[in-house]
Amino acid sequence: MLNQWPTLPWVRVPHLASHLLGAVARALPGHWVERYGYAPVLLETFVDVGRYAGTCYKAANWVRVGQTKGRGKLDRDKAYALGVKDIYCYPLSRNFRTKLLGEGNPAS
């Protein structure tokens, strides 16, 4: 695939993708609290395996947790019209499983 972005030879950031993914993971919870009133505990993304290898996510310690079937959320006829994607997650909290399951939460 051809690079669609101009090259800026004077910009030198080692491990740029990992750097950006880390910056976003640090900033996002605070922004989310401001906007929605609670902090996310897990980030999720999808990588189209037909086009990308997910190298930047692997390098930034995201965990591949599975793969889609190639169906979109609106696919009622099981036509499998979309590309297969790898699913990567990145925990923002050590006890994200407990928080996601609602254990120890009186509202659950």
Side-chain angles (χ1 to χ4, degrees), residues 46-47 49-50 64-70 83-88:
F46 299 89
V47 176
V49 298
R64 183 184 174 277
V65 296
Q67 198 170 59
T68 67
K69 299 283 186 189
V84 174
K85 295 175 180 64
D86 281 342
I87 305 165
Y88 286 88

Side-chain angles (χ1 to χ4, degrees), residues 2-12 16:
L2 295 174
N3 186 353
Q4 299 173 7
W5 301 100
T7 302
L8 305 174
W10 59 89
V11 176
R12 301 250 185 242
L16 178 60

Side-chain angles (χ1 to χ4, degrees), residues 84-98:
V84 174
K85 295 175 180 64
D86 281 342
I87 305 165
Y88 286 88
C89 290
Y90 186 82
L92 297 174
S93 171
R94 286 186 188 269
N95 57 346
F96 72 94
R97 286 183 183 89
T98 302

Side-chain angles (χ1 to χ4, degrees), residues 24-59:
V24 168
R26 285 187 298 277
L28 187 125
H31 294 301
W32 201 271
V33 169
E34 278 181 27
R35 177 78 165 119
Y36 301 106
Y38 63 93
V41 296
L42 184 74
L43 299 179
E44 175 187 55
T45 193
F46 299 89
V47 176
D48 186 338
V49 298
R51 297 180 69 187
Y52 306 102
T55 305
C56 65
Y57 292 101
K58 294 173 192 172

